[in-house]
């Protein structure tokens, strides 16, 4: 697939939102770290380039810069926040530190017309935006002019119309810039002239063609967890290569109640896709015995999955490819532009490739999609809404819903509590309003009194969040009466729990998993 727009990532927490807004405008784009951008520009030949924000200061010599190829490609370039500053610094302007910082809501005043801001501004030319910068541009490069200012940013929007280079000091990608999506659409559609024709039907056709080209006549096994991602990947693969595909559903013993039966019923009954049901619960639980560190759990589970796939593939006569439902957030969180903890966030995905001893190659047909885009593809493929609309459930399953050591008894307790929680959510008609909800069995016990007996049992935490893509999340605002009803049922019906709490933490960009 050609890449019309490249987003060069300088480490901003919200770089992913730039890609989302561009895709929402009907234009396909991809994110590439700044240190890999030079090669990406040559390979993709993009029709437009966006430079993201970032946490660094361009006044320091060691901080990232855009490759010169960005400015020599002959395509429109939009610099956002840090992206604008590095553009100015590299093209002959001047940026200084130590000036008044500007964070949060602000108004820009549009003082000169530019197609980037077409349709924006009130009668006085004001437009609300979200600022986040500590440095200040004190002069702009030759050829640029000022299109908008703010109280603390004399160069809030700059433009070189001849070269189609633009810079904005604010973040158009965040919801706090109410019409920021219109700015990005102006850039990719009107300025770059890219037709807004990217949609899930087009993606499906392109993905099928790519799968057939990659696989040829080879055989593929698909690791099926029963979640949205792997289910959509399996159906897409089956549409592309038919009986060259065999799905392997690995029952890890870490699933929610009844999930194994649902998966087997859907793929054997509804789709008639060849499915091997590998009951590997004993192996997974034995290997996890006594392990408390969450990162070790993930690595054990990831390695065990690979071992099962390898074994089952050999039993089925061998395979050339292993397919899995890796998504774009898995990739961009595992390959950070500036290093840091993102390198370990998705360690249960094999985003860096398979172990050397495996002879199979990876097929990841959803690698370019966000979660909500995967749901849209699932609907395009005709998956039942019960599967497409399911709350995300991570590959490590209940293993990361039990902080500390795992045991069969703890898993049984958590399954019962989780089932009650989701049952009440469905009864209240809230399931589709919530992106993800789950129960967690905390590694602490409390004393309680139940009737005439004193108990010493576990604390259960409940989590529910709203999100569109899994990159950010806010806690769902349940009414107190609902939480009281759920807590009463759990304490009364689940032996081993005597206290229930609700987690109201919001989540910045990153994983929404508990551990």
């Amino acid at each position: 697939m050609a890449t019309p727009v490249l987003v060069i990532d300088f480490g901003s927490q919200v770089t992913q939102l730039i890609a989302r807004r561009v895709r929402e405008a009907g234009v396909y784009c991809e994110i590439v770290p700044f240190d890999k951008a030079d090669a990406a520009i040559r390979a993709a030949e993009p029709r437009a380039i966006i430079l993201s924000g970032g946490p660094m200061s361009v006044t320091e010599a060691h901080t990232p810069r855009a490759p010169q190829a960005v400015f020599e490609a002959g395509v429109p370039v939009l610099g956002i926040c840090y992206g604008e500053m590095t553009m100015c610094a590299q093209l002959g302007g001047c940026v200084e530190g130590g000036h008044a910082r500007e964070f949060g809501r602000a108004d820009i005043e549009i003082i000169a017309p530019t197609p980037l801001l077409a349709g924006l501004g009130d009668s006085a030319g004001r437009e609300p935006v979200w600022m986040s910068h500590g440095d200040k541009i004190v002069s702009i490069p030759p050829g640029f002019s000022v299109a908008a200012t703010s109280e603390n940013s004399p160069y809030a929007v700059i433009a070189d119309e001849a070269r189609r280079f633009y810079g904005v000091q604010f973040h158009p990608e965040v919801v706090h810039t109410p019409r920021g999506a219109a700015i990005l659409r102006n850039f990719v559609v009107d300025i770059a002239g890219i037709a807004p024709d990217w949609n899930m039907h087009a993606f499906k056709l392109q993905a099928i063609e790519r799968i057939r080209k990659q696989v040829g006549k080879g055989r593929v096994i698909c690791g099926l967890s029963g979640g949205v991602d792997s289910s959509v990947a399996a159906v897409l693969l089956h549409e592309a290569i038919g009986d060259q595909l065999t799905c392997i559903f690995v029952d890890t013993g870490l699933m929610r109640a009844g999930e194994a039966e649902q998966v087997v019923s859907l793929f054997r009954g509804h789709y008639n896709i060849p499915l091997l049901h590998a009951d590997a619960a004993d192996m997974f639980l034995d290997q996890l015995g006594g392990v408390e560190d969450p990162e070790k759990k993930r690595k054990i589970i990831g390695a065990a999955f690979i071992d099962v796939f390898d074994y089952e593939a050999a039993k089925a006569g061998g395979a050339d490819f292993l397919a899995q439902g890796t998504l774009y957030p898995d990739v961009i969180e595992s390959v950070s532009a500036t290093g840091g903890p993102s390198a370990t966030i998705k360690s249960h995905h094999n985003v860096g490739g398979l172990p050397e001893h495996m002879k199979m190659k990876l097929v990841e047909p959803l690698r370019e999609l966000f979660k909500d885009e995967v749901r849209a593809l699932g609907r395009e493929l005709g998956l039942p809404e019960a599967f497409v609309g399911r709350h995300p459930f991570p590959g490590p399953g209940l293993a990361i819903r039990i902080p500390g050591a795992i045991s069969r008894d703890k898993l049984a307790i958590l399954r019962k509590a989780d089932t009650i929680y989701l049952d009440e959510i469905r009864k209240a008609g809230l399931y589709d309003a919530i992106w993800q909800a789950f129960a967690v069995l905390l590694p602490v016990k409390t004393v309680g009194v139940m009737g005439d007996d004193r108990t010493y049992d576990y604390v259960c935490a409940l989590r529910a969040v709203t999100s569109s893509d899994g990159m950010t999340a806010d806690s769902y605002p349940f009414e107190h009466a609902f939480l009281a009803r759920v807590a009463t049922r759990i304490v009364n019906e689940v032996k081993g729990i005597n206290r229930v709490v609700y987690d109201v933490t919001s989540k910045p960009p990153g994983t929404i998993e508990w551990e």
Side-chain angles (χ1 to χ4, degrees):
M1 180 191 294
T3 306
V5 179
L6 272 185
V7 179
I8 298 179
D9 182 19
F10 291 105
S12 168
Q13 291 188 81
V14 291
T15 297
Q16 296 83 7
L17 295 180
I18 302 173
R20 289 199 48 73
R21 299 294 172 257
V22 173
R23 291 184 184 189
E24 287 167 0
V27 175
Y28 181 70
C29 73
E30 291 185 3
I31 299 170
V32 59
F34 73 91
D35 57 351
K36 295 180 174 60
D38 199 20
I41 291 169
R42 292 195 301 271
E45 297 183 347
R47 295 174 60 187
I49 296 171
I50 299 176
L51 308 177
S52 85
M56 307 293 189
S57 169
V58 298
T59 63
E60 299 176 11
H62 67 280
T63 51
R65 298 292 184 268
Q68 192 59 29
V70 167
F71 308 114
E72 296 174 353
V75 302
V77 180
L78 171 63
I80 294 174
C81 199
Y82 184 94
E84 181 193 24
M85 290 186 176
T86 196
M87 176 188 288
C88 281
Q90 291 180 244
L91 296 180
C94 182
V95 180
E96 293 182 357
H99 291 275
R101 299 187 303 169
E102 194 173 22
F103 295 96
R105 290 181 174 84
D107 285 333
I108 61 169
E109 181 182 355
I110 301 172
I111 61 174
T114 172
L116 186 69
L117 303 178
L120 276 72
D122 60 15
S123 58
R126 291 186 300 267
E127 183 70 30
V129 300
W130 186 264
M131 293 282 189
S132 180
H133 64 94
D135 293 342
K136 187 174 185 178
I137 299 169
V138 295
S139 68
I140 54 178
F144 281 82
S145 60
V146 181
T149 65
S150 73
E151 184 175 353
N152 289 312
S153 294
Y155 304 109
V157 180
I158 60 174
D160 180 336
E161 304 290 1
R163 290 185 288 180
R164 296 183 296 172
F165 290 174
Y166 302 87
V168 297
Q169 194 56 81
F170 53 89
H171 288 273
E173 68 272 31
V174 302
V175 295
H176 307 296
T177 299
R179 292 198 286 182
I183 295 173
L184 290 169
R185 190 183 192 283
N186 286 344
F187 177 69
V188 298
V189 175
D190 297 332
I191 294 171
I194 303 171
D197 56 6
W198 187 79
N199 54 42
M200 275 303 116
H201 180 69
F203 178 87
K204 181 186 80 169
L205 297 179
Q206 292 165 344
I208 288 172
E209 182 180 345
R210 286 201 310 274
I211 291 168
R212 289 172 178 168
K213 183 177 180 180
Q214 180 184 4
V215 169
K217 296 182 179 180
R219 295 201 58 80
V220 180
I221 61 169
C222 178
L224 189 62
S225 70
V228 176
D229 309 337
S230 63
S231 297
V232 171
V235 175
L236 178 64
L237 284 158
H238 189 251
E239 188 158 328
I241 58 175
D243 59 9
Q244 291 172 247
L245 171 71
T246 298
C247 289
I248 299 177
F249 170 62
V250 181
D251 191 341
T252 63
L254 305 169
M255 308 286 288
R256 281 171 159 163
E259 285 198 315
E261 294 78 6
Q262 292 173 11
V263 173
V264 172
S265 173
L266 176 71
F267 284 90
R268 283 184 178 164
H270 189 83
Y271 282 101
N272 198 30
I273 295 176
L275 177 67
L276 300 177
H277 182 183
D279 186 352
D282 288 342
M283 183 189 82
F284 276 82
L285 296 179
D286 287 347
Q287 292 187 19
L288 289 166
V291 178
E292 297 187 1
D293 181 76
E295 196 55 35
K296 288 182 180 178
K297 289 182 189 177
R298 285 188 174 92
K299 289 179 179 177
I300 289 170
I301 291 168
F305 266 117
I306 292 298
D307 289 343
V308 175
F309 293 149
D310 215 7
Y311 175 74
E312 293 293 339
K315 277 176 45 179
D320 306 291
F321 297 89
L322 171 64
Q324 59 182 24
T326 305
L327 304 192
Y328 206 39
D330 301 330
V331 177
I332 55 184
E333 288 177 354
S334 300
V335 185
S336 169
T338 57
S342 62
T344 60
I345 287 175
K346 296 291 181 179
S347 60
H348 56 278
H349 278 280
N350 301 293
V351 293
L354 294 172
E356 289 185 7
H357 73 271
M358 292 193 74
K359 304 302 181 184
M360 291 180 281
K361 298 178 181 178
L362 272 177
V363 179
E364 297 172 313
L366 310 182
R367 191 180 174 93
E368 300 156 354
L369 300 183
F370 290 92
K371 174 69 77 171
D372 56 320
E373 294 172 333
V374 172
R375 295 190 195 281
L377 177 59
R379 295 184 179 98
E380 177 71 26
L381 290 164
L383 262 82
E385 190 61 34
F387 263 78
V388 174
R390 291 180 76 182
H391 289 180
F393 190 64
L398 297 180
I400 57 168
R401 306 296 187 230
I402 302 176
I406 299 167
S407 69
R408 286 172 171 79
D409 288 343
K410 287 182 180 179
L411 286 166
I413 292 170
L414 180 56
R415 279 195 189 94
K416 292 177 183 177
D418 193 69
T419 298
I420 290 169
Y421 183 34
L422 293 178
D423 179 56
E424 289 294 334
I425 286 174
R426 289 189 174 96
K427 285 180 178 177
L430 300 175
Y431 190 85
D432 292 338
I434 295 169
W435 190 81
Q436 185 182 43
F438 53 86
V440 177
L441 193 68
L442 298 182
V444 293
K445 288 187 173 184
T446 63
V447 174
V449 176
M450 300 179 69
D452 295 324
D453 296 324
R454 291 174 65 83
T455 62
Y456 184 61
D457 289 324
Y458 289 107
V459 177
C460 176
L462 305 179
R463 174 89 158 128
V465 297
T466 58
S467 182
S468 63
D469 51 24
M471 297 304 301
T472 59
D474 286 319
S475 60
Y476 186 81
F478 285 121
E479 294 182 358
H480 178 76
F482 172 86
L483 292 173
R485 185 165 63 250
V486 174
T488 299
R489 277 197 63 188
I490 290 174
V491 170
N492 286 341
E493 298 176 31
V494 183
K495 187 176 180 180
I497 294 175
N498 67 4
R499 195 174 306 276
V500 177
V501 297
Y502 182 60
D503 174 17
V504 297
T505 309
S506 294
K507 193 70 179 175
T511 179
I512 300 176
E513 297 170 4
W514 185 268
E515 287 191 358

